Amino acid sequence: MNPQEILKQMTLEEKAAFCSGRDFWHTKAIERLGVPGVMMCDGPHGLRKQEGEGDHLGINKSIETVCYPSAAALASSFDREVMRQLGEALGQECQAENVAMLLGPGLNIKRSPLCGRNFEYFSEDPYVAGEMGAAYVQALQSKGIAACAKHFACNDQETLRMSGSSNLDERTLREIYLPAFEAVVKKGKTRSLMCAYNAINGVFCAENKMLLTDILREEWQSDAFVVTDWGAVKDRAKGVASGLDLEMPGGPNATGEEILQAVKDGTLDEKDLDQAVLRLLKFVQDCVQQRQPDARIDRDACRALARKLAAECAVLMKNDGALPLQENQSVAFIGEFAEKPRYQGAGSSHINVPHPVSACETAKGIPYVRGYDSHSEQTDAVLLTQAVEMAKSVEIPVIFAGLPEVFETEGADRDHMRLPDNQNELIAAIAAVNPNTVVVLHGGSPVELPWLSLVNALLCVYLGGEQVGAATVDLLYGKVNPSGHLAETWPLRLQDNPSFLNFPGEEGVVTYAEGIFVGYRYYDKKEMPVNFCFGHGLSYTKFEYSDLRLEKASITDQETVTATVTVKNAGDRPGKAVVQLYVRDKESMVRRPFRELKAFEKVALQPGESREVSFALDKRAFAYWEPKCHDFYVESGEFVIEIGESSRDIRCQQTLQVEGTTLLSFAVTENTTIGQLLKHPKGRVIIGQMIGSSAMAHEDQTDSMGEGSERMMQSMMMGIPLGALVSYGRLTPEKLKALIASLNS
Ligand code: BGC
């Protein structure tokens, strides 16, 4: 197959038609030119291959297969190796099932705990989402299967997901909502992206030239093709002109007629259509070239992998000593999820699992009572009494709780952050009679924990896939040492969340008014009490960090610096540490989060073992997005490099001097302040001279008034707009005009 040659031979009608699918899951074939149709399927934490009637809501049947942990769980592993193993297993399965592209990973940001699809998304932090996503994409694609990063972009809620507009400023878009996609494009080299249903600042993603062409193709230099989310097409021809390639699902109504007409009447340039067709042909060519018709899948091995990965993802949030359980202790399992685990969310990612594995069937012989009815929120007095009685009779009651499936689904957001009342009542009642109560939590997103101080231990298994029950038993009994850390903050209550006043928006518009202060960037800046902070996770062993050193004491933003730290397993069990590196800008002219995660690494250590871990930091570790130059920008100054076990547990730090090498260029007006001019290449020279002379003029005064007043004078001066210098008699109107003209020249 030679895409360029095929393109030349295609008629205009064929080209227009080729840009929409054949049916729910296939691209069109062009038989006369030897171009096959290829299949794509939902996932991404399993393979949802539909052989019968297709749907994008998780309703109709798909093949029976293995369900791995969902993205919210995977992110907590903080382990690129987990993503690699998962991506390779799924790639192999896609080859065996003749599927060319798996629709995922989901890279939207967990802006609010209420988003119904949070379980499909990695984190509140774009760096974690991008790193985990890129590792997955690389692994999947190493098996010759295309990834499709979705939903590009700002699809962070389900309310009005198909018609609403996410309105946000440029800096927030670039620092929070795009970097995960950027990582998956640049580092993961994803072969495809799925554009989101929603609009960004009023322009639908399916026809958003800024997103699909200016940023994706030109700035990020990607040749990935873009497919619509299923049914996201608005104006088809405008879509092609903006950089959209494939419309899905296909079928009788997706004929390409609109594209054809637009080319004929001159409103769409045929060259834009050719670009789209060429990108699609290259994708099909790649699929053909990388096809492995002999690939086989060993589903038993996949199940064993699902169990191993689920254990890597769980987060031990609290442990006052009840865990790990000992074989000789009397234990009871309480709560319906011990018997019927919650292991995945509802909607298009739903995997058809023949037999999800429960904790009850794994730990045979442990007494069990149901405790609550997961289909109701009301306490059932009989179930509650049985459970309390059982809890009194054992050393350790383990309660399996969490969000019922109807709470977490594609297409609907949650309307509160609580567990069902019957579960909260059960946990409080049991904790009141047994101080060793352990809670195992299932769900894709944080919940309020009103009983937290009453229970001894809390293990969050998120939505851990079909083997979650087995993995939970492995963790409870210490066969596996918990090593997950939270990729999101667990606030005390919903009202504390920064998006609270602006979720899910009104009249179809959601304003991201919290800006860049999403998740820990907000809670930590405000030093707010939370249940569990970002990055938190306990282990049955403990880790010590020492000897943080930087390869250089100062760099320019064109250089990289290596930070090296020693981490030691100071306990008596093998375990895995998640070494987290944060960067803090000591002083800044703009609002910045208190600290931001810029690197992490998971390290396995035997008892007593130490290892050195190194991280390379480049410009992006210090930069913020500066709208004045429409680019990432580093302000010169001191930055603190911090190593922690969470965003609030910093163990060592070092200071680094970074010199920014970009000078901002922006239009100067009469209203530009002296402070702003300091960022202007010519302005700072002129202002430097002016500050010098004015400081001298005030010398006598400041001498008598002290240091504080000097600062006051300086800051007053920074706020003075150029125009006011005329009123103060420091410039004539003519001189001001000339100054502005020369600054802008
Ligand atoms: C979802 C996508 C999914 C597609 C196909 C859409 O409704 O938003 O994530 O891949 O359907 O099922």
Side-chain angles (χ1 to χ4, degrees):
M1 235 186 107
N2 179 335
Q4 292 283 4
E5 280 309 309
I6 292 171
L7 178 69
K8 280 190 206 147
Q9 294 172 46
M10 285 170 83
T11 63
L12 182 59
E13 283 73 11
E14 278 172 332
K15 289 193 277 191
F18 193 57
C19 293
S20 53
R22 181 183 88 202
D23 55 27
F24 232 89
W25 301 119
H26 294 87
T27 63
K28 284 183 185 130
I30 314 168
E31 267 150 35
R32 80 174 181 93
L33 298 172
V35 179
V38 298
M39 185 173 202
M40 58 197 88
C41 282
D42 266 323
H45 57 279
L47 180 59
R48 181 170 168 264
K49 181 183 180 189
Q50 293 190 311
E51 286 169 324
E53 200 183 334
D55 76 289
H56 64 298
L57 302 168
I59 298 167
N60 296 330
K61 238 186 149 39
S62 55
I63 58 164
E64 285 190 349
T65 187
V66 182
C67 173
Y68 297 92
S70 66
L74 291 165
S76 314
S77 75
F78 275 83
D79 193 352
R80 296 171 187 88
E81 179 59 19
V82 161
M83 303 312 287
R84 188 187 64 75
Q85 292 181 15
L86 173 62
E88 286 183 359
L90 286 169
Q92 177 75 14
E93 186 172 358
C94 287
Q95 286 288 3
E97 291 285 348
N98 196 9
V99 170
M101 175 158 92
L102 194 58
L103 302 173
L107 296 174
N108 299 102
I109 292 293
K110 295 175 94 170
R111 173 175 177 254
S112 162
L114 300 185
C115 171
R117 282 184 103 169
N118 270 348
F119 65 90
E120 285 188 69
Y121 302 142
F122 290 111
S123 178
E124 67 188 20
D125 179 83
Y127 179 73
V128 177
E131 287 297 300
M132 300 304 272
Y136 172 91
V137 168
Q138 283 167 353
L140 183 73
Q141 295 192 160
S142 75
K143 293 283 176 182
I145 303 302
C148 181
K150 67 189 188 181
H151 308 88
F152 190 46
C154 301
N155 178 185
D156 310 294
Q157 63 182 51
E158 291 300 283
T159 308
L160 293 172
R161 68 163 173 157
M162 295 186 77
S163 58
S165 179
S166 301
N167 288 8
L168 69 172
D169 61 69
E170 180 183 333
R171 182 173 170 204
T172 303
L173 180 69
R174 294 305 196 126
E175 284 186 36
I176 305 293
Y177 295 95
L178 291 188
F181 289 100
E182 186 181 356
V184 163
V185 165
K186 289 185 179 169
K187 200 167 173 178
K189 303 263 181 284
T190 186
R191 281 159 58 195
S192 155
L193 291 96
M194 182 190 295
C195 72
Y197 288 121
N198 53 280
I200 297 177
N201 296 327
V203 183
F204 280 105
C205 294
E207 49 199 52
N208 197 316
K209 181 171 169 295
M210 171 200 73
L211 198 63
L212 306 185
T213 298
D214 303 352
I215 295 178
L216 177 64
R217 268 70 183 248
E218 284 168 16
E219 198 183 310
W220 296 348
Q221 294 283 302
S222 172
D223 56 4
F225 79 94
V226 177
V227 55
T228 59
D229 199 342
W230 269 229
V233 134
K234 306 282 172 190
D235 181 327
R236 192 63 191 89
K238 203 166 159 197
V240 173
S242 308
L244 171 67
D245 304 310
L246 180 66
E247 172 186 9
M248 288 301 283
N253 294 329
T255 56
E257 188 56 33
E258 275 182 65
I259 298 176
L260 188 63
Q261 282 315 320
V263 175
K264 284 187 176 161
D265 68 23
T267 48
L268 175 65
D269 190 337
E270 193 172 345
K271 285 202 196 92
D272 288 337
L273 174 60
D274 286 353
Q275 282 296 323
V277 173
L278 196 59
R279 279 192 288 260
L280 285 174
L281 286 170
K282 283 187 179 154
F283 159 66
V284 176
Q285 178 194 34
D286 272 349
C287 300
V288 171
Q289 281 174 350
Q290 301 193 44
R291 174 90 187 99
Q292 298 165 14
D294 298 331
R296 295 285 168 270
I297 184 83
D298 173 354
R299 288 212 163 82
D300 284 336
C302 292
R303 287 188 185 102
L305 178 65
R307 178 174 183 164
K308 187 175 121 192
L309 299 188
E312 294 292 325
C313 298
V315 183
L316 182 61
M317 294 170 122
K318 174 176 178 178
N319 186 15
D320 286 344
L323 293 179
L325 303 174
Q326 309 299 318
E327 292 294 342
N328 58 5
Q329 279 173 321
S330 67
V331 172
F333 285 174
I334 299 172
E336 203 180 290
F337 293 157
E339 194 191 12
K340 295 185 197 135
R342 237 345 279 298
Y343 62 96
Q344 67 172 333
S348 62
S349 69
H350 193 270
I351 306 301
N352 183 7
V353 176
H355 180 76
V357 175
S358 73
C360 283
E361 74 174 280
T362 308
K364 289 188 186 69
I366 297 217
Y368 161 75
V369 285
R370 191 162 158 227
Y372 59 85
D373 174 359
S374 74
H375 298 289
S376 162
E377 297 190 38
Q378 306 290 320
T379 293
D380 177 320
V382 177
L383 295 181
L384 180 69
T385 313
Q386 278 173 354
V388 171
E389 287 312 310
M390 181 167 282
K392 279 187 199 160
S393 72
V394 293
E395 271 172 83
I396 306 205
V398 182
I399 308 171
F400 290 71
L403 292 170
E405 189 163 20
V406 290
F407 279 47
E408 288 183 292
T409 173
E410 181 173 339
D413 294 316
R414 278 194 282 166
D415 47 23
H416 61 75
M417 208 181 104
R418 298 186 301 276
L419 286 175
D421 290 345
N422 52 354
Q423 293 193 33
N424 279 333
E425 278 168 38
L426 174 78
I427 298 169
I430 288 177
V433 299
N434 192 323
N436 298 327
T437 300
V438 174
V439 176
V440 175
L441 259 189
H442 304 69
S445 206
V447 291
E448 290 167 18
L449 306 168
W451 34 257
L452 181 60
S453 64
L454 310 174
V455 302
N456 186 298
L458 176 60
L459 177 71
C460 175
V461 294
Y462 277 99
L463 296 180
E466 61 162 73
Q467 298 289 322
V468 69
T472 303
V473 172
D474 292 343
L475 293 157
L476 289 174
Y477 280 91
K479 207 171 131 193
V480 180
N481 192 347
S483 64
H485 285 247
L486 295 174
E488 62 191 334
T489 313
W490 282 50
L492 292 176
R493 43 179 212 149
L494 178 65
Q495 292 90 317
D496 294 346
N497 177 262
S499 76
F500 178 69
L501 295 176
N502 293 286
F503 185 96
E506 53 200 12
E507 313 244 336
V509 173
V510 52
T511 306
Y512 289 23
E514 69 285 355
I516 57 166
F517 294 98
V518 174
Y520 72 95
R521 288 171 170 75
Y522 173 80
Y523 301 114
D524 290 2
K525 181 93 178 178
K526 290 192 72 178
E527 297 181 25
M528 284 172 76
V530 296
N531 272 335
F532 297 106
C533 66
F534 177 83
H536 169 76
L538 305 174
S539 162
Y540 297 149
T541 184
K542 57 176 191 290
F543 301 102
E544 284 169 5
Y545 299 82
S546 60
D547 199 20
L548 170 63
R549 51 198 192 279
L550 304 177
E551 168 206 19
K552 303 168 206 161
S554 72
I555 56 166
T556 73
D557 64 7
Q558 300 303 300
E559 298 169 274
T560 56
V561 64
T562 304
T564 304
V565 67
T566 303
V567 51
K568 177 178 178 188
N569 181 346
D572 53 10
R573 285 172 180 262
K576 290 182 182 170
V578 173
V579 186
Q580 302 165 36
L581 185 149
Y582 294 86
V583 173
R584 180 154 64 82
D585 189 357
K586 274 184 129 171
E587 213 183 319
S588 171
M589 302 272 277
V590 298
R591 298 187 309 162
R592 295 198 73 168
F594 187 69
R595 58 171 60 94
E596 292 178 280
L597 184 79
K598 296 295 175 185
F600 64 83
E601 197 64 58
K602 196 164 200 178
V603 191
L605 294 165
Q606 293 300 317
E609 187 185 350
S610 300
R611 282 226 340 238
E612 283 194 345
V613 184
S614 291
F615 303 99
L617 302 174
D618 63 11
K619 176 177 174 183
R620 283 292 282 273
F622 310 101
Y624 71 90
W625 182 267
E626 174 53 73
K628 287 202 177 69
C629 58
H630 307 291
D631 201 353
F632 283 96
Y633 169 79
V634 175
E635 248 182 334
S636 298
E638 280 190 343
F639 290 80
V640 186
I641 312 298
E642 305 174 319
I643 298 290
E645 278 239 314
S646 77
S647 73
R648 294 188 179 187
D649 182 6
I650 301 300
R651 302 291 181 84
C652 359
Q653 60 175 57
Q654 285 291 344
T655 302
L656 175 74
Q657 181 73 32
V658 184
E659 193 199 323
T661 55
T662 315
L663 287 174
L664 291 177
S665 154
F666 52 90
V668 178
T669 68
E670 290 190 4
N671 209 32
T672 304
T673 64
I674 298 204
Q676 287 166 337
L677 265 191
L678 279 179
K679 292 187 184 174
H680 189 278
K682 290 184 193 162
R684 58 181 207 174
V685 179
I686 295 173
I687 295 303
Q689 292 159 358
M690 283 168 81
I691 289 180
S693 63
S694 99
M696 272 197 308
H698 290 293
E699 214 166 290
D700 296 347
Q701 216 179 331
T702 49
D703 260 3
S704 59
M705 288 161 69
E707 231 180 74
S709 77
E710 194 177 333
R711 266 213 313 276
M712 187 187 83
M713 303 279 276
Q714 282 244 352
S715 99
M716 266 168 54
M717 189 144 79
M718 292 302 138
I720 296 175
L722 284 182
L725 294 178
V726 175
S727 323
Y728 297 150
R730 303 201 54 100
L731 286 178
T732 62
E734 294 71 36
K735 277 201 171 148
L736 174 67
K737 238 181 170 174
L739 175 67
I740 292 177
S742 99
L743 285 168
N744 285 330
S745 68

